[in-house]
Amino acid sequence: MSNILVLVETALNGEPAASTAGLIAAASQLGTPVAVHVAMPGTGGQHAATLGHWGAEHVYVCETDQTDRLLVTPQVLALETAVRNMEPAAVLVANSSTGREAGARLALRVGGGLLTDVVGVRVDDGRIVTAHSVFGGSYDLDASAQYGLPVITVRQGAIGDRAEPANYESTTVPLEIEPANSVVITAAHETAENSTRPALRGAKKVISGGRGMGSKDGFQLVERLADTLGAAIGASRAAVDAGYVPQHHQVGQTGITVAPDLYFALGISGAIQHRAGMQTAKTIIAINKDADAPIFGIADLGIVGDVSTIVPRLIEELESQAR
Ligand code: FAD
């Protein structure tokens, strides 16, 4: 099978970002996943086991002491080096700010075809085909690169699958960087949310509330149900705009894309921009007092009724079962 390169994005402490697991899973649907990891000299091997556990069959470590000094350039060079040495059939990066820039610059350097904001990948008749959800989820379309190496940016959270752990092999190469034309990082701070709840991105269960929760106090029902189920909290844009919950909980076209096993939509109408961020959830449960709300069109289970009466009863029932 052909090699498929995956760019490993890292946190400030050098740990691979969890989104890499979804990229590796996507790569495993196309060929042999090769994780390309930029690391400080002597440290790259520390995370190889994690990447192998996520399904990387080869961990390609590019070591440079410029890792946390230069913005994106090390990642571009690492991918270019890996492309020259591993002759991949495609390159996958996250559709993050780093991934988009690294992907575009790589495509330019290697004469590749850039496919952006992809929500699914497959091989069709020997050709790599990417799935896109466009115009706020109004249309699904397929695309493929007509020539050159496909460089694919994958929407974060769109691929919730995980690959089987792999018996990986590992290669470490030094990366020679000419910093003259690079953007230099002068300071970086990680902002951490102080919460015991699961992070929305990548969560297996998400409880989302919309304008129908009525108020910031009413939104507490979303939080209570989330805590009962050990779920992350999501929201519609209307709930965010109304100040019920901070913006980083917004699900949808201009928020976060999620693909959990279970998604609750409480008092959410199901506007197309909201659906764009959650419609690939495996099971969708909607509670809405309007039987004609569009959310019921994609729900696996729909309950027509008032959230303020149904949700407390649901929490009570779940708590009594847990006792
Ligand atoms: P509403 O549409 O007002 O729906 C509220 C629902 O609650 C209704 O269906 C109502 O029947 C129900 N309800 C009311 N009271 C109760 C009750 N007591 N019990 C049960 N049900 C009740 N939206 C997003 O969510 N995410 C995005 O990323 C996003 N991006 C956008 C980008 C653009 C460019 C634009 C133009 C819009 C975007 N929107 C986005 C906004 C989107 O179009 C909708 O306005 C928004 O999703 C509506 O949120 P809502 O469903 O909470 O509110």
Side-chain angles (χ1 to χ4, degrees):
M1 282 210 292
S2 309
N3 288 326
I4 308 293
L5 301 188
V6 166
L7 176 64
V8 178
E9 283 193 35
T10 52
L12 281 183
N13 63 7
E15 281 182 17
S19 58
T20 309
L23 286 181
I24 293 173
S28 71
Q29 292 164 25
L30 304 176
T32 304
V34 178
V36 180
H37 186 197
V38 180
M40 294 294 281
T43 68
Q46 290 170 9
H47 302 294
T50 303
L51 297 166
H53 181 72
W54 288 342
E57 295 190 31
H58 196 130
V59 178
Y60 193 89
V61 181
C62 295
E63 291 190 338
T64 166
D65 59 6
Q66 303 291 321
T67 299
D68 50 12
R69 240 197 108 237
L70 301 181
L71 197 65
V72 187
T73 299
Q75 286 74 14
V76 177
L77 268 180
L79 284 174
E80 189 183 4
T81 306
V83 166
R84 310 264 180 234
N85 289 314
M86 308 290 291
E87 297 179 350
V91 178
L92 303 188
V93 299
N95 194 54
S96 59
S97 50
T98 298
R100 284 194 301 271
E101 184 174 338
R105 287 168 61 179
L106 175 73
L108 199 64
R109 285 176 182 222
V110 301
L114 190 63
L115 296 142
T116 60
D117 201 19
V118 163
V119 296
V121 291
R122 66 179 194 278
V123 177
D124 201 346
D125 209 10
R127 164 172 280 196
I128 290 176
V129 177
T130 53
H132 305 248
S133 173
V134 300
F135 298 125
S138 318
Y139 295 92
D140 294 329
L141 63 85
D142 289 344
S144 62
Q146 295 297 303
Y147 56 85
L149 176 70
V151 179
I152 300 166
T153 80
V154 180
R155 187 182 291 181
Q156 291 172 288
I159 296 176
D161 298 340
R162 293 292 173 264
E164 292 293 318
N167 286 327
Y168 64 93
E169 54 180 297
S170 166
T171 304
T172 300
V173 296
L175 209 57
E176 299 299 332
I177 303 185
E178 175 48 65
N181 297 324
S182 303
V183 176
V184 176
I185 301 169
T186 53
H189 308 281
E190 203 137 25
T191 52
E193 197 191 350
N194 194 9
S195 170
T196 52
R197 295 192 179 107
L200 181 55
R201 210 187 282 285
K204 292 280 168 215
K205 298 177 209 163
V206 175
I207 316 297
S208 282
R211 200 199 311 264
M213 300 314 298
S215 65
K216 197 169 177 158
D217 282 350
F219 202 87
Q220 285 177 8
L221 277 179
V222 176
E223 296 166 14
R224 281 180 53 204
L225 182 57
D227 290 342
T228 308
L229 290 168
I233 290 176
S236 70
R237 178 156 140 185
V240 168
D241 289 348
Y244 300 170
V245 67
Q247 200 277 334
H248 60 262
H249 291 285
Q250 183 177 319
V251 171
Q253 183 189 339
T254 44
I256 287 176
T257 298
V258 296
D261 293 339
L262 177 65
Y263 188 89
F264 266 82
L266 308 178
I268 292 177
S269 59
I272 198 155
Q273 296 89 354
H274 186 78
R275 298 201 313 256
M278 46 65 73
Q279 59 198 0
T280 58
K282 291 201 175 78
T283 301
I284 298 170
I285 300 178
I287 305 177
N288 196 304
K289 66 180 184 186
D290 175 5
D292 294 325
I295 192 74
F296 290 130
I298 58 163
D300 298 280
L301 174 67
I303 302 168
V304 179
D306 195 315
V307 285
S308 63
T309 53
I310 294 168
V311 178
R313 282 168 58 190
L314 181 60
I315 293 169
E316 207 176 294
E317 181 61 31
L318 288 166
E319 285 177 348
S320 74
Q321 281 183 17
R323 271 183 224 123

